[in-house]
Amino acid sequence: EAGVAQSPRYKIIEKRQSVAFWCNPISGHATLYWYQQILGQGPKLLIQFQNNGVVDDSQLPKDRFSAERLKGVDSTLKIQPAKLEDSAVYLCASSGPLAVVDGYTFGSGTRLTVV
Amino acid sequence: GENVEQHPSTLSVQEGDSAVIKCTYSDSASNYFPWYKQELGKGPQLIIDIRSNVGEKKDQRIAVTLNKTAKHFSLHITETQPEDSAVYFCAARAGYSSASKIIFGSGTRLSIRP
C-alpha cells in the first residue's frame, strides 16, 4: 500500500512569511496527525483529526498555526506568520481503526527553515 | 498529562554487541508502548510495540520489556549491525481508541562502530 505522502520535502522562508504543508494519508485511515519535530527532540503532537473533525489541538499555537482536513482525506497545515523557532520537521502520520494494533504510519516530513 | 523520558541520548556500540535503550513513563493508565526508528531524512518507522498485558516481546534481534510497576520499558537490540544506526524513539499511549494520542520520548542516537 502507498505510504503517507507529504509535500514539499524542504522549504526555506523568511520570518513573518507564510507557509503551507500538505499531507495525503494512507487510504482509509480516518485519523490524521501533525507532529512538529525540532532538531534533537522527539515529535510533538500539534493537532489530531478524526475524519474531518479535530480531536486534539491543545498544543497548536493557534495565533499562527492553522490546519484543516477537508472531506476527511488530505490535510494542510499553515503557519502565518512564521517565526525563527518554527524551524523544524513537520511530520504527518495516519492510523486506521486498528491503531492499537498497527500504530501510526509517518510520512517523510517537511523540513522548514525560517531565516 | 503523560511524560516519557528516554536514556541515553546517544549510544555507540561495537558491531555485534548489544544495545539497550531505556524509557520511563508517568501515566499509570498508559497501555501501549511503541518503538520507532528514524533514519536520516525519513519519518519515524514503527519497529516493535508492546501492550500492558505483556511483559516481554521479541522479534528477531529486537526485544522490548515492560515493567508496569516501575513504569519503565526498554528496547534491546542484539548482534547489532551497521544498518541499526539511527535515532530510536520510545513512546507511550493511554487508551484504546485511535483518539488516544502517542507521546514520544526525546530519542536516542545509536551509532554502530565497525
Side-chain angles (χ1 to χ4, degrees), chain B:
Chain B
E2 175 67 279
N3 182 50
V4 178
E5 295 192 358
Q6 182 171 349
H7 301 279
S9 58
T10 60
L11 179 61
S12 178
V13 301
Q14 194 75 34
E15 182 177 352
D17 288 350
S18 296
V20 180
I21 301 171
K22 298 182 179 181
C23 291
T24 60
Y25 61 98
S26 61
D27 188 349
S28 56
S30 290
N31 52 27
Y32 174 65
F33 306 91
W35 285 86
Y36 287 83
K37 175 183 181 182
Q38 187 173 28
E39 297 175 317
L40 197 62
K42 297 183 179 180
Q45 180 182 14
L46 179 69
I47 55 172
I48 195 167
D49 55 18
I50 191 167
R51 289 162 184 79
S52 56
N53 59 345
V54 176
E56 183 174 357
K57 182 177 179 180
K58 189 173 182 180
D59 183 4
Q60 298 182 357
R61 297 186 297 108
I62 295 175
V64 291
T65 58
L66 172 64
N67 183 327
K68 289 171 53 181
T69 303
K71 294 186 200 171
H72 62 70
F73 55 115
S74 300
L75 177 71
H76 305 251
I77 306 174
T78 59
E79 301 173 12
T80 53
Q81 300 171 3
E83 55 264 35
D84 295 330
S85 292
V87 179
Y88 291 80
F89 293 97
C90 62
R93 181 171 72 190
Y96 292 95
S97 74
S98 58
S100 305
K101 62 184 179 184
I102 286 179
I103 304 299
F104 286 82
S106 55
T108 296
R109 181 173 298 278
L110 175 64
S111 301
I112 308 301
R113 303 191 303 271

Side-chain angles (χ1 to χ4, degrees), chain A residues 3-113:
Chain A
V4 175
Q6 289 189 249
S7 67
R9 285 300 311 274
Y10 307 93
K11 192 73 177 179
I12 301 174
I13 62 171
E14 295 183 349
K15 59 184 179 182
R16 292 188 290 274
Q17 285 187 326
S18 62
V19 64
F21 313 126
W22 173 82
C23 172
N24 179 238
I26 290 176
S27 178
H29 277 192
T31 310
L32 184 147
Y33 315 80
W34 283 102
Y35 279 84
Q36 179 192 58
Q37 186 175 23
I38 294 174
L39 187 64
Q41 298 182 18
K44 183 185 82 172
L45 181 69
L46 292 175
I47 188 167
Q48 176 179 345
F49 291 94
Q50 184 82 9
N51 296 307
N52 61 346
V54 175
V55 174
D56 185 345
D57 63 355
S58 58
Q59 298 298 307
L60 188 73
K62 299 180 185 64
D63 58 333
R64 298 184 299 106
F65 286 64
S66 65
E68 61 181 8
R69 190 183 185 198
L70 299 176
K71 300 181 181 178
V73 182
D74 292 4
S75 177
T76 56
L77 176 69
K78 298 178 181 178
I79 307 175
Q80 181 179 14
K83 293 184 175 181
L84 296 177
E85 57 261 38
D86 297 333
S87 294
V89 175
Y90 290 85
L91 294 163
C92 179
S94 68
S95 63
L98 298 179
V100 175
V101 178
D102 299 331
Y104 296 178
T105 300
F106 282 88
S108 295
T110 295
R111 181 176 296 278
L112 174 66
T113 302

